[in-house]
Amino acid sequence: MSTRPIAPEECEVTPGQSLVEQALVEIWKTTLDRPSVGLDDDFFTTGGDSLLALVTIEQINQRLGWSLNMGDLLRYRTVRALSANKALSQAANTERAIIRLSNQGSRTPLVLIHPGLGLVDGYARIVRALGGDRGCYGLQSPHISALDVPDEMTALAETYADLLEDEFGEDEFHLAGACAGGVIAYEIARIAEERGLGVRKLVILDGYLDGSVTGEDDIPEGERLVGYRDDVLRMVAPQVDHPPLAAADATREDVFLEVSTALFGAETAAKDGGTQFMERLYRAFLTTSRALETYRPEPAELDVLLLLAKDNPTLPDWQEIVRGELTAHVMDSDAYGLRLCVIEAAQIAARIDDFVGEE
């Protein structure tokens, strides 16, 4: 195990923040090198200067797809003000599928595949815990950029392999993914050699292989909407038990408004519900769900780190298909998927570092 100390604040989850506010807080913590940042902390009176402002602006533009400049940061000096005035339905970069989540480092980069929702924001705490010497990238659903992708797993993985080849060429990288993203990452790694991709090691974070084939037309839309809504709320506020929503009561209008509020905050959602973005995000969720429902994984010779929530029953399934070296750990937490990635971010980062080694 790594001897790198794990600070309690790395696992800190603050309730009541929108996803955009959380992303800004994580960026400010990194650039200001502070263990915590409040929503009303002034950037320039809590350690920020003109050089750190430029670094922060570049990180925000990369991560959130904004076009922020120095004048914006001087005008909106707190996370709350910046989010309220600049979160114009931009919870993710809408220009490209692969976005840089950290500065480039000297070690082999890590590419994190989106979970079922299509966003990669849930990995922010893991990226920060990994430190500054490993470049981290997120591959979000191309649906967010208004590009259609297949809803069959192998074809989906082929599409993503094209994106990775365009980005990295023959350079090597590690691959990781949580929940549905872990399954997608497995399929990409399985076809990597024939595609000429330089995938070195694979990390699967609480990936599920449920072994059920339902078909894309067998699940009513109300159930799909509830699953979509619950996934977003778990990502934004993983420590909160959200009130259940009955499938019979779920409508697109109501679910999209609730999701928009969770992502952008109530003030922005009230002004601009982000309908177009909500439609794209929901299509990303549907595509991933349908791909999982019909997927039958083939065995592969891969070196895999498998980190599972303690109630995930799929370890035997993974042991059956992974023919290479499988390093499996069952975490102490019963949080699953993206909740596990947020609550156990520091532990996960330490295990990733141990697994991939220091290049």
Side-chain angles (χ1 to χ4, degrees), residues 31 67 89 108 118 125 136-137 156 217 226 228 251 319 324 327 335:
T31 58
S67 297
S89 305
T108 302
R125 286 180 174 83
C136 293
Y137 297 78
L156 182 66
D217 297 325
V226 169
Y228 167 69
T251 66
Q319 290 172 325
T327 304

Side-chain angles (χ1 to χ4, degrees), residues 1 6 9 12 29 32 53 57 100 104 106-107 110 130 138 156 171 184 191 224 236 249 254 287 310-311 337 357:
M1 279 294 297
I6 298 170
E9 62 268 11
E12 177 184 296
K29 284 180 183 179
L32 294 174
I57 289 167
R100 185 153 54 85
Q104 296 176 341
S106 63
R107 293 181 287 173
L110 176 69
L130 282 170
L156 182 66
D171 293 343
I184 298 171
I191 66 174
R224 299 275 195 196
V236 175
D249 298 329
D254 291 342
T287 291
K310 67 180 182 181
D311 61 349

